[in-house]
Amino acid sequence: MAGELPYIIILEGYDDAFLGFVVQEKLSRPTVAVYSRKLCVEVIMKERKYDREKAIEYFEEKVENLWQGDDAPLILNHCSVKEYYQIFEAMTRKD
């Protein structure tokens, strides 16, 4: 990264949710921006005056699913290891 910053797709209007970027040279993939899902939803709630449920729906439909491909921004779901295992167990539980 000596010299200039790599090109990344920036989600317009979500600067407060930008966490940084990931360099994926070892995977022969482009550098990508990383955003917080939680903070993106909070931006939508504030800007559009939506409740959390409506903001999540908007985010999933208009932002998260809009970008595809190797250079698409990554959306980070914040959680602890304990929370991750709880989510994993809930998703794999056979009722």
Side-chain angles (χ1 to χ4, degrees):
M1 278 187 31
E4 61 184 68
L5 288 174
Y7 166 81
I8 59 174
I9 294 173
I10 299 292
L11 299 179
E12 188 175 329
Y14 293 91
D15 291 358
D16 290 343
F18 182 78
L19 298 176
F21 59 94
V22 175
V23 177
Q24 304 182 98
E25 288 176 0
K26 291 181 183 179
L27 300 173
S28 298
R29 297 177 115 181
T31 298
V32 294
V34 179
Y35 288 85
S36 163
R37 179 183 176 88
K38 176 184 173 196
L39 294 176
C40 284
V41 170
E42 289 177 7
V43 166
I44 294 166
M45 290 171 63
K46 180 181 174 187
E47 296 296 320
R48 297 188 168 271
K49 310 284 191 262
Y50 287 172
D51 63 26
R52 182 165 300 282
E53 187 174 318
K54 189 169 182 179
I56 290 170
E57 184 179 307
Y58 179 91
F59 176 73
E60 289 173 348
E61 183 180 318
K62 304 287 187 185
V63 180
E64 189 173 41
N65 292 329
L66 181 66
W67 295 99
Q68 297 182 10
D70 288 346
D71 59 349
L74 297 176
I75 307 298
L76 177 69
N77 293 288
H78 294 260
C79 68
S80 67
V81 171
K82 182 178 179 180
E83 290 169 324
Y84 170 76
Y85 283 121
Q86 290 171 342
I87 294 166
F88 177 77
E89 287 175 18
M91 292 175 65
T92 58
R93 188 176 305 132
K94 296 177 183 174
D95 293 329

